[in-house]
Structure formats: structure tokens, C-alpha cells
Amino acid sequence: MSYPGYPSGPGGYPPQGGGYPPQQGMYPPQAGGYPPQAGMYPPQSGFPPQAGGYPAQPGGYPGYPPQGGGFPPAQPGAYPSVPAGGWGAQPGYGAPGGGMPQGYPGGPAPGQQPMPGYPGGAPAPNPSMPTMPVYGGGAPAGPGGNVGPVGPAIPPANRGYRGTIKDFPGADPLRDVEVLRKAMKGFGTDENAIIELLGNRSNRQRVPMVRAYKTTYGKDLVHDLKSELTGNFEQLVLAMMKSPGEYDAFELHHAIAGAGTDEACLIEILSSRSNAEIREISQIYKTEFGKTLEHAIEHDTSGHFRRLLVSLSQGNRDERETVDISLAKQDAQKLYAAGENKVGTDESQFNAILCARSKPHLRQVFHEYQQMCGKDIEKSICREMSGNLETGMLAVVKCIKNTSGYFAERLNNAIKGAGTKDRTLIRVMVTRSEVDMLDIRQEYLRTYGKSLYTAISGDTSGDYKKLLLKLCGGSD
């Protein structure tokens, strides 16, 4: 890699024992030459003195170094320095505001304007997901600098990652949409090609395909998928093309605005998402549907169940990891006094504790409660409450105690019995495939005595089954 105005040789700058030789049209005057710079290219020991100094570089950086502390130190293997985690917080490709920063490999030359990023503004990843690098996993930049994948390499084996779908190394949305276009073009549809592609791309790699498809073919990818696919397979594919926040917002809207209210969906999403996820969902909901999520909940539910959902929709749970044992004992006593130890039930006390306290704190509260009165908190909730409020409170407790066990139960309820609750099955498989699907599979096998893979295989069919099994991640 070379930069305008800098000497180039095989593999970059050849090592020089006493620094770089004088170059015509390079560096600004500096009495006595440049001293060694911390973090620069080893094994250089500084730039040698040059009569008259080094003049400013035409069309490049105005003198070297352009600031008091010298040029920013380079990280190993990178030039110029790259902030931890990549360029800013923007997911997807390139740098904040679109395009890669000046001087970055594959980016514009110093002094030039950065090209628009591709595909700028991709939705933020699910905060509950482990932090992963930008799209592409470290493959070299493509021709032109801002189209090909960029970013640091994916950590080996995604250490600690409990999802079944991972970033596909070197994936390029422009190549991926060619595969989709070929699968849908002409007579018939190559469903297997669609399954193989989407089943091997993470959400942050699938979402940019929508913009890439429109850029390349001038057509809407979602519209073309709808026209080519049908039934539950169509619904599953469309769900996979939305960002996590967008998908949750649309599911909540369907649960509220559809015929009747899908209380189980409201409970599932609001009781299991993090503060950051809920806030993102609320923003998307307001943008897409012209009203706040809280307003929609208030107009479609009632009583203490409404209060529970409104509290959860604030995304304001304490997220501290520390636990105060004495406070946990006090909360356990308050729950006992609000339920088992009084005539009637003080639902507001349950609501205040279950919706505001941190998850580590609540796990300690549940332990103290069991020690104090000899029964699990779930049994007390079942005794003291009923209907949607009981279901909602139990979901909160189950998610805090064992999130993967809660979703294993949701999947079993969707599969067992006459008929399949396909909307629930699709939602859980899509939203948990990059979070904790491996743990859900373990809980499913432990609780129900058969693998989730076997359960899905026996209850679904065709292309729908094939893609679900991709999200499941193989047989146990």
C-alpha cells in the first residue's frame, strides 16, 4: 500500500537504519531533523537532518508532522491509527457519515473528500449481541475503496458467543444480491440458493442487502421476495431482512393493532429485551407508526397488566451488577408482605420491584424469598394473580432466572398441540439465533427430552423447515 507523495517500494517503506532518506517535495523545515516518534514505524529512529528542511507535501498533509505531538501513533498493522472498535459507533460499512476516513486502506487519498459509505445508516445491531467488527470481517477493501468489506478480523471462534448464526467472513452485499437476483430471475425460484445465502449471513450482513439490491438493480428487494415466495417461508425470509429493533417494533404493532391483542407477544418482547433494545424499539415504533409505544399499550390494555407493560416499555431497569444482600432481603420481605402475608394482593409492590430492580439483584431477591417463606416466587404469583397479569409477571421472573429456559418454553408452546403457532416460532428463532440459541437448544433438550432440531423437523416442512433448521444450527 502506498500514499501519494511518499516513497514506495516492495511491501511499503524499506527499513532504513538512520531513518528515511531526503525526499523531494516531502516534509516541512525542521532544524536538526525530526526526532524519533513514539508509535511510528520501527525500526526507524527519526528523520535525518536535511538542509533547508523538508518542504510541505503537495496535495497531501500540510507538513509532517501536522500537529504538535507528531502524526497520530499507528496501531500495529494499521495506518493511520484506528480507534478501538473501528471508526466510531456506526455499524455497517465505512466511517461515520459514510465513506472511509482519509488515509485508511482502501479509502480516499489525503486531501480528497471521502466517498459516500455503503450502505450508510444501517440499523444498529441488537445490543444484547456480543460486540463484533464491522461488516465483512476483515477482508480487503474492494476496488474503489468503499464497496468491499472492511474492518478488523472476527475474533477466533467468536469466543463466548452463544448464537448459531455468525458473521460470514468476507461477505460482500453486492455479490450477495447477485445471488438473490439470479435465484428470483426468470421462470421459477431457486429457493435453495436463497436458503443457503440467508442462512449463512448474520443480521448485520443481511440488512444491507436491501439497499445494495436497490442500488444495483433499481428494484425493491422486499417487494421481489414477496412476489416470489409464499406462506411461512416468505414470512420467515422477510423477518430475517429486518434489523432486530425494526422487527420487534413491527411485531409489537401487529400484536396491538391486529384483530384482538396478542398479549403473549407483548410480554415476550418487553420482558426479555435490554434497556437499550427497548429504547431503540420505541424510537422505531414512533417513526414507523406515528405514535409512541407507551400510547399504543395504554389504549389496548387495561388494569395492572397495562401498568406492567408500561413500566417495562420505559427501558429504565437498573443495570448495575452489584448486589446489596440487605436490600435484597428487604425486597423479599416486601413481596411477601404484598402477597402471601396479606388479604388480597398489592400488585403495585410487585410491579415496582420486578420492573425496576437489576437482574442480579432480583435473582438474589428470589433466593431470599424462597429461604424466607419456603416457596418459589412463581408459586406465589400463581396464587396471588390471574390472567394476563399472572402470565406477564411470570414471564419477567422466568426471563430473569433463566432466559434460555423461558424461550425454550415459548418454542415448545408454539410447536406442541394441534397446529403450529408459526408467528411465535419464527419470531423466537430469528431474534435468538444470534443471541443464545445454543443455550435454548440445551434447555429444550433438558426440559422436553428431545432436541429442538427434531421438534422443528417434525412440525414443519419444505423450504420453511430448511431455513428454520439453519437458524437452529444443526441437530443436537
Side-chain angles (χ1 to χ4, degrees):
M1 177 173 63
S2 63
Y3 294 90
Y6 288 72
S8 177
Y13 294 101
Q16 304 289 335
Y20 294 114
Q23 300 294 329
Q24 183 64 33
M26 289 289 285
Y27 309 102
Q30 172 75 11
Y34 284 92
Q37 303 292 320
M40 295 296 290
Y41 288 95
Q44 311 301 336
S45 57
F47 297 100
Q50 171 74 5
Y54 296 97
Q57 176 187 351
Y61 295 103
Y64 191 95
Q67 43 193 308
F71 195 75
Q75 294 180 355
Y79 179 86
S81 59
V82 182
W87 291 96
Q90 176 173 341
Y93 312 85
M100 286 178 286
Q102 291 185 349
Y104 191 46
Q112 295 180 353
Q113 293 296 316
M115 296 176 65
Y118 181 83
N126 187 328
S128 67
M129 289 168 55
T131 301
M132 290 190 286
V134 294
Y135 187 95
N146 71 321
V147 174
V150 299
I154 298 173
N158 288 275
R159 199 168 300 164
Y161 182 64
R162 300 299 296 165
T164 49
I165 301 295
K166 303 177 177 66
D167 277 0
F168 188 84
D172 182 343
L174 297 181
R175 292 195 300 268
D176 287 346
V177 296
E178 288 179 14
V179 174
L180 292 176
R181 177 65 175 161
K182 183 179 178 181
M184 294 186 286
K185 189 178 180 181
F187 182 76
T189 304
D190 187 351
E191 288 87 356
N192 284 330
I194 295 173
I195 292 167
E196 285 302 311
L197 178 68
L198 299 185
N200 288 287
R201 297 293 185 273
S202 67
N203 181 268
R204 61 152 109 231
Q205 293 175 322
R206 296 191 301 262
V207 170
M209 294 180 196
V210 176
R211 185 168 177 179
Y213 193 87
K214 186 167 286 188
T215 299
T216 305
Y217 302 110
K219 301 183 70 178
D220 185 84
L221 175 58
V222 172
H223 179 271
D224 281 3
L225 288 170
K226 284 181 177 179
S227 66
E228 294 291 330
L229 310 177
T230 59
N232 290 320
F233 180 54
E234 174 193 342
Q235 296 306 312
L236 175 56
V237 168
L238 296 180
M240 294 175 69
M241 302 310 296
K242 290 182 171 69
S243 72
E246 184 185 12
Y247 183 41
D248 279 345
F250 274 80
E251 285 296 284
L252 288 172
H253 180 69
H254 181 271
I256 294 170
T261 304
D262 186 350
E263 292 87 359
C265 173
L266 298 177
I267 294 166
E268 175 196 310
I269 293 175
L270 293 177
S271 64
S272 63
R273 305 312 193 242
S274 69
N275 286 348
E277 290 171 319
I278 290 174
R279 290 169 188 165
E280 182 186 6
I281 292 165
S282 297
Q283 290 175 351
I284 294 172
Y285 196 98
K286 176 69 180 299
T287 301
E288 292 291 335
F289 307 112
K291 66 172 98 173
T292 65
L293 176 59
E294 180 180 335
H295 176 82
I297 290 171
E298 287 178 338
H299 282 73
D300 205 61
T301 57
S302 61
H304 288 288
F305 179 59
R306 173 170 63 190
R307 295 181 192 178
L308 172 65
L309 295 180
V310 168
S311 293
L312 294 173
S313 70
Q314 303 307 300
N316 201 34
R317 181 185 295 281
D318 181 4
E319 291 187 330
R320 287 175 294 184
E321 292 296 320
T322 56
V323 175
D324 184 332
I325 302 297
S326 63
L327 181 58
K329 290 179 183 291
Q330 291 176 28
D331 282 346
Q333 291 168 354
K334 288 178 182 178
L335 291 176
Y336 182 65
E340 293 281 357
N341 200 35
K342 76 184 301 278
V343 177
T345 306
D346 183 357
E347 293 88 355
S348 295
Q349 188 67 265
F350 277 82
N351 197 91
I353 294 174
L354 294 181
C355 296
R357 300 291 197 237
S358 72
K359 293 183 178 181
H361 174 84
L362 285 172
R363 283 191 282 270
Q364 185 65 36
V365 170
F366 301 153
H367 171 74
E368 298 295 339
Y369 188 92
Q370 202 279 335
Q371 293 294 309
M372 183 180 63
C373 64
K375 63 178 65 175
D376 292 336
I377 187 69
E378 294 98 319
K379 290 184 178 179
S380 292
I381 289 174
C382 291
R383 279 171 53 90
E384 298 295 323
M385 302 174 194
S386 61
N388 291 325
L389 179 61
E390 175 190 345
T391 305
M393 290 285 186
L394 285 175
V396 173
V397 171
K398 289 175 181 178
C399 274
I400 289 167
K401 277 190 167 183
N402 184 353
T403 304
S404 301
Y406 169 72
F407 280 107
E409 181 182 337
R410 291 287 292 155
L411 287 171
N412 186 61
N413 290 339
I415 293 171
K416 72 177 184 180
T420 304
K421 299 179 180 67
D422 292 290
R423 194 172 194 104
T424 300
L425 177 59
I426 291 170
R427 184 174 60 250
V428 175
M429 295 301 295
V430 170
T431 59
R432 309 311 292 187
S433 62
E434 296 180 47
V435 181
D436 56 357
M437 185 56 69
L438 293 176
D439 295 324
I440 292 171
R441 284 169 44 179
Q442 289 180 356
E443 289 293 330
Y444 196 96
L445 181 62
R446 181 183 66 82
T447 306
Y448 303 107
K450 62 179 176 180
S451 72
L452 179 59
Y453 189 96
T454 300
I456 292 173
S457 297
D459 207 62
T460 59
S461 61
D463 298 317
Y464 177 48
K465 176 174 78 173
K466 292 178 185 177
L467 190 49
L468 282 174
L469 294 178
K470 285 277 190 182
L471 296 176
C472 184
S475 58
D476 294 290

